Short mmCIF file of all heavy atoms in Angstrom, two decimals:
data_model
loop_
_atom_site.label_atom_id
_atom_site.label_comp_id
_atom_site.label_asym_id
_atom_site.label_seq_id
_atom_site.Cartn_x
_atom_site.Cartn_y
_atom_site.Cartn_z
N ASN C 172 7.50 23.02 -17.93
CA ASN C 172 8.66 22.83 -18.79
C ASN C 172 8.44 23.51 -20.15
O ASN C 172 8.82 22.99 -21.18
CB ASN C 172 8.93 21.33 -18.99
CG ASN C 172 10.31 21.09 -19.57
OD1 ASN C 172 11.22 21.89 -19.39
ND2 ASN C 172 10.46 19.99 -20.29
N ASN C 173 7.80 24.68 -20.14
CA ASN C 173 7.60 25.45 -21.36
C ASN C 173 8.61 26.58 -21.43
O ASN C 173 8.98 27.15 -20.41
CB ASN C 173 6.18 26.04 -21.39
CG ASN C 173 5.12 24.95 -21.31
OD1 ASN C 173 4.82 24.28 -22.28
ND2 ASN C 173 4.54 24.79 -20.12
N ASN C 174 9.06 26.88 -22.66
CA ASN C 174 10.08 27.90 -22.85
C ASN C 174 9.58 28.97 -23.81
O ASN C 174 8.75 28.71 -24.68
CB ASN C 174 11.36 27.28 -23.39
CG ASN C 174 11.89 26.17 -22.49
OD1 ASN C 174 11.91 26.32 -21.27
ND2 ASN C 174 12.29 25.06 -23.09
N LEU C 175 10.13 30.16 -23.67
CA LEU C 175 9.73 31.29 -24.51
C LEU C 175 10.97 32.04 -24.99
O LEU C 175 11.84 32.39 -24.20
CB LEU C 175 8.82 32.25 -23.73
CG LEU C 175 8.40 33.52 -24.46
CD1 LEU C 175 7.48 33.19 -25.64
CD2 LEU C 175 7.71 34.49 -23.50
N ASN C 176 11.04 32.27 -26.31
CA ASN C 176 12.07 33.12 -26.91
C ASN C 176 11.40 34.36 -27.50
O ASN C 176 10.48 34.24 -28.31
CB ASN C 176 12.82 32.38 -28.02
CG ASN C 176 13.64 31.22 -27.49
OD1 ASN C 176 14.08 31.24 -26.35
ND2 ASN C 176 13.84 30.21 -28.32
N VAL C 177 11.86 35.53 -27.12
CA VAL C 177 11.36 36.78 -27.67
C VAL C 177 12.51 37.43 -28.44
O VAL C 177 13.52 37.82 -27.85
CB VAL C 177 10.85 37.73 -26.57
CG1 VAL C 177 10.35 39.03 -27.18
CG2 VAL C 177 9.74 37.05 -25.76
N VAL C 178 12.35 37.53 -29.76
CA VAL C 178 13.42 38.04 -30.63
C VAL C 178 13.13 39.49 -30.99
O VAL C 178 12.05 39.82 -31.46
CB VAL C 178 13.54 37.19 -31.91
CG1 VAL C 178 14.75 37.65 -32.73
CG2 VAL C 178 13.67 35.71 -31.57
N ILE C 179 14.12 40.36 -30.77
CA ILE C 179 13.99 41.79 -31.07
C ILE C 179 14.46 42.02 -32.50
O ILE C 179 15.63 41.85 -32.82
CB ILE C 179 14.82 42.66 -30.10
CG1 ILE C 179 14.64 42.18 -28.66
CG2 ILE C 179 14.48 44.11 -30.27
CD1 ILE C 179 13.21 42.22 -28.17
N LYS C 180 13.53 42.42 -33.39
CA LYS C 180 13.85 42.55 -34.81
C LYS C 180 13.53 43.95 -35.32
O LYS C 180 12.81 44.72 -34.68
CB LYS C 180 13.06 41.53 -35.63
CG LYS C 180 13.52 40.09 -35.47
CD LYS C 180 12.73 39.17 -36.36
CE LYS C 180 13.30 37.77 -36.39
NZ LYS C 180 14.57 37.71 -37.11
N SER C 181 14.07 44.25 -36.51
CA SER C 181 13.75 45.48 -37.22
C SER C 181 13.14 45.13 -38.57
O SER C 181 13.39 44.04 -39.11
CB SER C 181 15.02 46.32 -37.43
OG SER C 181 14.77 47.39 -38.32
N VAL C 182 12.35 46.04 -39.11
CA VAL C 182 11.82 45.86 -40.46
C VAL C 182 12.96 45.72 -41.46
O VAL C 182 12.88 44.96 -42.42
CB VAL C 182 10.91 47.05 -40.84
CG1 VAL C 182 10.59 47.03 -42.33
CG2 VAL C 182 9.63 47.00 -40.03
N ASN C 183 14.05 46.44 -41.22
CA ASN C 183 15.22 46.40 -42.10
C ASN C 183 16.09 45.20 -41.75
O ASN C 183 16.70 45.16 -40.68
CB ASN C 183 16.05 47.69 -41.94
CG ASN C 183 17.27 47.71 -42.83
OD1 ASN C 183 17.46 46.84 -43.69
ND2 ASN C 183 18.12 48.70 -42.64
N PRO C 184 16.16 44.19 -42.64
CA PRO C 184 16.95 42.99 -42.32
C PRO C 184 18.45 43.25 -42.21
O PRO C 184 19.18 42.44 -41.66
CB PRO C 184 16.64 42.05 -43.50
CG PRO C 184 16.25 42.95 -44.62
CD PRO C 184 15.54 44.12 -43.97
N ASP C 185 18.91 44.41 -42.73
CA ASP C 185 20.33 44.74 -42.68
C ASP C 185 20.69 45.61 -41.47
O ASP C 185 21.85 45.96 -41.28
CB ASP C 185 20.74 45.48 -43.96
CG ASP C 185 20.56 44.62 -45.20
OD1 ASP C 185 20.81 43.41 -45.10
OD2 ASP C 185 20.17 45.16 -46.25
N PHE C 186 19.70 45.95 -40.65
CA PHE C 186 19.96 46.82 -39.51
C PHE C 186 20.83 46.10 -38.48
O PHE C 186 20.51 45.01 -38.03
CB PHE C 186 18.64 47.25 -38.86
CG PHE C 186 18.81 48.16 -37.68
CD1 PHE C 186 19.32 49.44 -37.84
CD2 PHE C 186 18.47 47.73 -36.40
CE1 PHE C 186 19.48 50.29 -36.75
CE2 PHE C 186 18.62 48.58 -35.32
CZ PHE C 186 19.13 49.85 -35.50
N GLU C 187 21.96 46.73 -38.11
CA GLU C 187 22.90 46.12 -37.18
C GLU C 187 23.13 47.01 -35.95
O GLU C 187 24.05 46.76 -35.18
CB GLU C 187 24.23 45.85 -37.87
CG GLU C 187 24.12 44.82 -39.01
CD GLU C 187 25.46 44.58 -39.69
OE1 GLU C 187 26.42 45.32 -39.41
OE2 GLU C 187 25.54 43.64 -40.51
N GLY C 188 22.32 48.02 -35.79
CA GLY C 188 22.50 48.93 -34.66
C GLY C 188 21.81 48.45 -33.41
O GLY C 188 21.48 47.27 -33.25
N LYS C 189 21.58 49.37 -32.53
CA LYS C 189 20.92 49.06 -31.25
C LYS C 189 19.55 49.72 -31.21
O LYS C 189 19.31 50.72 -31.88
CB LYS C 189 21.77 49.56 -30.08
CG LYS C 189 23.12 48.87 -29.98
CD LYS C 189 23.89 49.38 -28.78
CE LYS C 189 25.27 48.72 -28.70
NZ LYS C 189 25.16 47.27 -28.45
N THR C 190 18.67 49.14 -30.45
CA THR C 190 17.36 49.74 -30.26
C THR C 190 17.01 49.73 -28.79
O THR C 190 17.61 49.03 -27.99
CB THR C 190 16.28 49.00 -31.07
OG1 THR C 190 15.06 49.75 -31.02
CG2 THR C 190 16.03 47.60 -30.49
N ILE C 191 16.03 50.54 -28.43
CA ILE C 191 15.60 50.64 -27.05
C ILE C 191 14.13 50.23 -26.97
O ILE C 191 13.30 50.75 -27.72
CB ILE C 191 15.76 52.08 -26.51
CG1 ILE C 191 17.22 52.52 -26.63
CG2 ILE C 191 15.31 52.16 -25.07
CD1 ILE C 191 17.45 53.97 -26.22
N LEU C 192 13.83 49.31 -26.08
CA LEU C 192 12.44 48.94 -25.82
C LEU C 192 12.00 49.58 -24.51
O LEU C 192 12.75 49.61 -23.54
CB LEU C 192 12.29 47.43 -25.73
CG LEU C 192 12.26 46.64 -27.04
CD1 LEU C 192 11.98 45.17 -26.75
CD2 LEU C 192 11.22 47.18 -28.00
N PHE C 193 10.77 50.07 -24.52
CA PHE C 193 10.21 50.71 -23.34
C PHE C 193 9.15 49.82 -22.70
O PHE C 193 8.31 49.24 -23.38
CB PHE C 193 9.55 52.05 -23.71
CG PHE C 193 10.53 53.17 -23.90
CD1 PHE C 193 11.10 53.40 -25.14
CD2 PHE C 193 10.91 53.97 -22.83
CE1 PHE C 193 11.99 54.43 -25.33
CE2 PHE C 193 11.81 55.00 -23.01
CZ PHE C 193 12.36 55.24 -24.26
N ALA C 194 9.22 49.71 -21.39
CA ALA C 194 8.14 49.13 -20.58
C ALA C 194 7.66 47.78 -21.10
O ALA C 194 6.48 47.58 -21.36
CB ALA C 194 6.97 50.10 -20.50
N LEU C 195 8.58 46.84 -21.24
CA LEU C 195 8.24 45.49 -21.70
C LEU C 195 7.87 44.60 -20.51
O LEU C 195 8.64 44.48 -19.56
CB LEU C 195 9.41 44.88 -22.47
CG LEU C 195 9.30 43.41 -22.86
CD1 LEU C 195 8.13 43.22 -23.83
CD2 LEU C 195 10.59 42.90 -23.46
N ASP C 196 6.70 44.00 -20.57
CA ASP C 196 6.25 43.05 -19.54
C ASP C 196 5.85 41.73 -20.19
O ASP C 196 5.22 41.72 -21.26
CB ASP C 196 5.03 43.59 -18.80
CG ASP C 196 5.40 44.65 -17.77
OD1 ASP C 196 6.58 44.76 -17.43
OD2 ASP C 196 4.48 45.38 -17.33
N ILE C 197 6.21 40.64 -19.55
CA ILE C 197 5.73 39.30 -19.93
C ILE C 197 5.13 38.70 -18.67
O ILE C 197 5.82 38.50 -17.67
CB ILE C 197 6.86 38.42 -20.46
CG1 ILE C 197 7.51 39.06 -21.69
CG2 ILE C 197 6.33 37.03 -20.82
CD1 ILE C 197 8.76 38.34 -22.19
N LYS C 198 3.84 38.41 -18.72
CA LYS C 198 3.14 38.01 -17.49
C LYS C 198 1.96 37.10 -17.79
O LYS C 198 1.49 36.99 -18.92
CB LYS C 198 2.64 39.26 -16.76
CG LYS C 198 1.67 40.10 -17.57
CD LYS C 198 1.31 41.38 -16.87
CE LYS C 198 0.36 42.23 -17.72
NZ LYS C 198 -0.01 43.50 -17.06
N ASP C 199 1.51 36.40 -16.73
CA ASP C 199 0.22 35.71 -16.78
C ASP C 199 -0.67 36.34 -15.70
O ASP C 199 -0.35 37.41 -15.17
CB ASP C 199 0.37 34.20 -16.61
CG ASP C 199 1.00 33.81 -15.28
OD1 ASP C 199 1.09 34.68 -14.38
OD2 ASP C 199 1.38 32.64 -15.12
N ASN C 200 -1.75 35.71 -15.35
CA ASN C 200 -2.67 36.29 -14.37
C ASN C 200 -2.08 36.34 -12.96
O ASN C 200 -2.55 37.10 -12.11
CB ASN C 200 -3.98 35.51 -14.35
CG ASN C 200 -4.81 35.73 -15.61
OD1 ASN C 200 -4.71 36.79 -16.23
ND2 ASN C 200 -5.60 34.75 -15.98
N ASP C 201 -1.06 35.50 -12.73
CA ASP C 201 -0.53 35.37 -11.37
C ASP C 201 0.84 35.99 -11.16
O ASP C 201 1.16 36.44 -10.06
CB ASP C 201 -0.46 33.89 -10.98
CG ASP C 201 -1.81 33.20 -11.03
OD1 ASP C 201 -2.79 33.82 -10.58
OD2 ASP C 201 -1.89 32.07 -11.54
N SER C 202 1.66 36.01 -12.22
CA SER C 202 3.06 36.38 -12.02
C SER C 202 3.57 37.26 -13.16
O SER C 202 3.08 37.20 -14.28
CB SER C 202 3.94 35.13 -11.91
OG SER C 202 3.52 34.30 -10.85
N LEU C 203 4.60 38.05 -12.84
CA LEU C 203 5.33 38.84 -13.82
C LEU C 203 6.67 38.15 -14.03
O LEU C 203 7.48 38.06 -13.11
CB LEU C 203 5.53 40.27 -13.30
CG LEU C 203 6.27 41.24 -14.21
CD1 LEU C 203 5.48 41.48 -15.50
CD2 LEU C 203 6.49 42.57 -13.48
N TYR C 204 6.93 37.66 -15.27
CA TYR C 204 8.12 36.85 -15.53
C TYR C 204 9.27 37.66 -16.13
O TYR C 204 10.42 37.25 -16.07
CB TYR C 204 7.76 35.70 -16.47
CG TYR C 204 6.79 34.73 -15.84
CD1 TYR C 204 5.42 34.87 -16.03
CD2 TYR C 204 7.25 33.69 -15.03
CE1 TYR C 204 4.53 33.99 -15.43
CE2 TYR C 204 6.36 32.81 -14.43
CZ TYR C 204 5.00 32.97 -14.63
OH TYR C 204 4.12 32.10 -14.03
N TYR C 205 8.94 38.80 -16.74
CA TYR C 205 10.00 39.65 -17.30
C TYR C 205 9.49 41.08 -17.29
O TYR C 205 8.34 41.35 -17.62
CB TYR C 205 10.33 39.23 -18.74
CG TYR C 205 11.60 39.86 -19.28
CD1 TYR C 205 12.83 39.27 -19.06
CD2 TYR C 205 11.55 41.05 -20.01
CE1 TYR C 205 14.00 39.85 -19.56
CE2 TYR C 205 12.70 41.63 -20.50
CZ TYR C 205 13.92 41.03 -20.28
OH TYR C 205 15.07 41.60 -20.75
N HIS C 206 10.37 42.01 -16.88
CA HIS C 206 9.92 43.39 -16.72
C HIS C 206 11.03 44.35 -17.09
O HIS C 206 12.18 44.20 -16.65
CB HIS C 206 9.49 43.63 -15.26
CG HIS C 206 9.09 45.03 -14.97
ND1 HIS C 206 7.96 45.61 -15.52
CD2 HIS C 206 9.66 45.99 -14.19
CE1 HIS C 206 7.85 46.85 -15.08
NE2 HIS C 206 8.87 47.11 -14.27
N ILE C 207 10.70 45.32 -17.95
CA ILE C 207 11.61 46.42 -18.27
C ILE C 207 10.89 47.72 -17.97
O ILE C 207 9.79 47.96 -18.46
CB ILE C 207 12.02 46.41 -19.75
CG1 ILE C 207 12.87 45.18 -20.09
CG2 ILE C 207 12.79 47.68 -20.09
CD1 ILE C 207 13.17 45.07 -21.56
N TYR C 208 11.52 48.56 -17.15
CA TYR C 208 11.00 49.91 -16.96
C TYR C 208 12.11 50.80 -16.43
O TYR C 208 12.79 50.42 -15.47
CB TYR C 208 9.82 49.93 -15.98
CG TYR C 208 9.18 51.29 -15.91
CD1 TYR C 208 8.23 51.67 -16.86
CD2 TYR C 208 9.57 52.21 -14.94
CE1 TYR C 208 7.66 52.93 -16.82
CE2 TYR C 208 9.01 53.48 -14.91
CZ TYR C 208 8.06 53.83 -15.84
OH TYR C 208 7.51 55.08 -15.82
N PRO C 209 12.39 51.95 -17.01
CA PRO C 209 11.63 52.46 -18.15
C PRO C 209 12.08 51.91 -19.50
O PRO C 209 11.30 51.88 -20.43
CB PRO C 209 11.90 53.97 -18.08
CG PRO C 209 13.27 54.06 -17.48
CD PRO C 209 13.35 52.93 -16.49
N SER C 210 13.35 51.48 -19.63
CA SER C 210 13.83 51.05 -20.95
C SER C 210 15.06 50.16 -20.82
O SER C 210 15.71 50.11 -19.78
CB SER C 210 14.15 52.27 -21.82
OG SER C 210 15.22 53.02 -21.25
N LYS C 211 15.36 49.48 -21.94
CA LYS C 211 16.57 48.66 -22.02
C LYS C 211 17.07 48.64 -23.45
O LYS C 211 16.26 48.61 -24.39
CB LYS C 211 16.30 47.23 -21.54
CG LYS C 211 17.54 46.34 -21.51
CD LYS C 211 17.25 44.97 -20.95
CE LYS C 211 18.50 44.10 -20.93
NZ LYS C 211 18.25 42.75 -20.35
N ILE C 212 18.39 48.65 -23.62
CA ILE C 212 19.00 48.65 -24.95
C ILE C 212 19.25 47.22 -25.40
O ILE C 212 19.76 46.39 -24.65
CB ILE C 212 20.32 49.44 -24.94
CG1 ILE C 212 20.07 50.91 -24.56
CG2 ILE C 212 21.01 49.36 -26.30
CD1 ILE C 212 21.33 51.72 -24.41
N PHE C 213 18.88 46.94 -26.66
CA PHE C 213 19.10 45.63 -27.27
C PHE C 213 19.86 45.78 -28.58
O PHE C 213 19.70 46.79 -29.28
CB PHE C 213 17.77 44.93 -27.57
CG PHE C 213 16.99 44.51 -26.35
CD1 PHE C 213 16.08 45.38 -25.77
CD2 PHE C 213 17.17 43.26 -25.79
CE1 PHE C 213 15.35 45.00 -24.66
CE2 PHE C 213 16.46 42.87 -24.68
CZ PHE C 213 15.55 43.75 -24.11
N ASP C 214 20.66 44.76 -28.91
CA ASP C 214 21.24 44.67 -30.25
C ASP C 214 20.21 44.08 -31.19
O ASP C 214 19.25 43.43 -30.77
CB ASP C 214 22.49 43.78 -30.23
CG ASP C 214 23.64 44.43 -29.50
OD1 ASP C 214 23.82 45.66 -29.63
OD2 ASP C 214 24.38 43.72 -28.79
N ALA C 215 20.43 44.28 -32.49
CA ALA C 215 19.54 43.69 -33.48
C ALA C 215 19.55 42.17 -33.33
O ALA C 215 20.60 41.55 -33.18
CB ALA C 215 19.99 44.08 -34.89
N ASN C 216 18.36 41.59 -33.35
CA ASN C 216 18.17 40.14 -33.25
C ASN C 216 18.56 39.55 -31.89
O ASN C 216 18.76 38.34 -31.77
CB ASN C 216 18.91 39.40 -34.37
CG ASN C 216 18.35 39.73 -35.73
OD1 ASN C 216 17.14 39.70 -35.93
ND2 ASN C 216 19.22 40.06 -36.68
N ASP C 217 18.66 40.40 -30.88
CA ASP C 217 18.82 39.88 -29.51
C ASP C 217 17.61 39.03 -29.15
O ASP C 217 16.49 39.27 -29.63
CB ASP C 217 18.94 41.04 -28.52
CG ASP C 217 20.38 41.34 -28.16
OD1 ASP C 217 21.27 40.62 -28.62
OD2 ASP C 217 20.62 42.32 -27.42
N THR C 218 17.83 38.04 -28.29
CA THR C 218 16.74 37.16 -27.88
C THR C 218 16.62 37.12 -26.37
O THR C 218 17.60 36.89 -25.66
CB THR C 218 16.96 35.73 -28.41
OG1 THR C 218 17.04 35.74 -29.83
CG2 THR C 218 15.81 34.81 -27.99
N ILE C 219 15.41 37.37 -25.89
CA ILE C 219 15.10 37.20 -24.47
C ILE C 219 14.64 35.76 -24.28
O ILE C 219 13.70 35.31 -24.95
CB ILE C 219 13.97 38.16 -24.03
CG1 ILE C 219 14.41 39.61 -24.24
CG2 ILE C 219 13.58 37.91 -22.58
CD1 ILE C 219 13.28 40.61 -24.11
N LYS C 220 15.28 35.00 -23.40
CA LYS C 220 14.98 33.59 -23.20
C LYS C 220 14.40 33.37 -21.80
O LYS C 220 15.04 33.71 -20.81
CB LYS C 220 16.22 32.73 -23.40
CG LYS C 220 16.78 32.74 -24.82
CD LYS C 220 18.02 31.87 -24.92
CE LYS C 220 18.59 31.83 -26.33
NZ LYS C 220 17.71 31.06 -27.23
N LEU C 221 13.21 32.80 -21.75
CA LEU C 221 12.59 32.43 -20.49
C LEU C 221 12.34 30.93 -20.50
O LEU C 221 11.78 30.40 -21.48
CB LEU C 221 11.27 33.18 -20.28
CG LEU C 221 11.36 34.71 -20.26
CD1 LEU C 221 9.97 35.31 -20.09
CD2 LEU C 221 12.29 35.19 -19.16
N VAL C 222 12.73 30.24 -19.44
CA VAL C 222 12.62 28.77 -19.42
C VAL C 222 11.78 28.31 -18.23
O VAL C 222 11.57 29.04 -17.26
CB VAL C 222 14.03 28.12 -19.36
CG1 VAL C 222 14.84 28.50 -20.59
CG2 VAL C 222 14.77 28.54 -18.09
N ASN C 223 11.30 27.08 -18.37
CA ASN C 223 10.55 26.41 -17.29
C ASN C 223 9.32 27.22 -16.86
O ASN C 223 9.06 27.40 -15.66
CB ASN C 223 11.45 26.13 -16.08
CG ASN C 223 12.61 25.22 -16.44
OD1 ASN C 223 12.47 24.33 -17.29
ND2 ASN C 223 13.75 25.44 -15.82
N LEU C 224 8.58 27.68 -17.83
CA LEU C 224 7.36 28.43 -17.54
C LEU C 224 6.17 27.49 -17.44
O LEU C 224 6.09 26.49 -18.16
CB LEU C 224 7.09 29.46 -18.66
CG LEU C 224 8.15 30.54 -18.84
CD1 LEU C 224 7.83 31.38 -20.07
CD2 LEU C 224 8.25 31.42 -17.61
#
Side-chain angles (χ1 to χ4, degrees):
N172 195 27
N173 301 282
N174 304 316
L175 176 67
N176 294 331
V177 179
V178 185
I179 315 300
K180 288 182 171 289
S181 169
V182 168
N183 180 8
D185 297 324
F186 181 67
E187 296 180 351
K189 296 182 182 295
T190 189
I191 302 176
L192 282 185
F193 281 89
L195 172 63
D196 283 344
I197 301 173
K198 60 186 178 180
D199 61 13
N200 289 332
D201 300 318
S202 302
L203 180 64
Y204 295 93
Y205 192 87
H206 177 66
I207 293 174
Y208 187 83
S210 64
K211 184 176 180 179
I212 298 175
F213 292 90
D214 290 322
N216 295 313
D217 262 357
T218 300
I219 300 168
K220 295 179 179 289
L221 301 178
V222 299
N223 299 326
L224 298 174

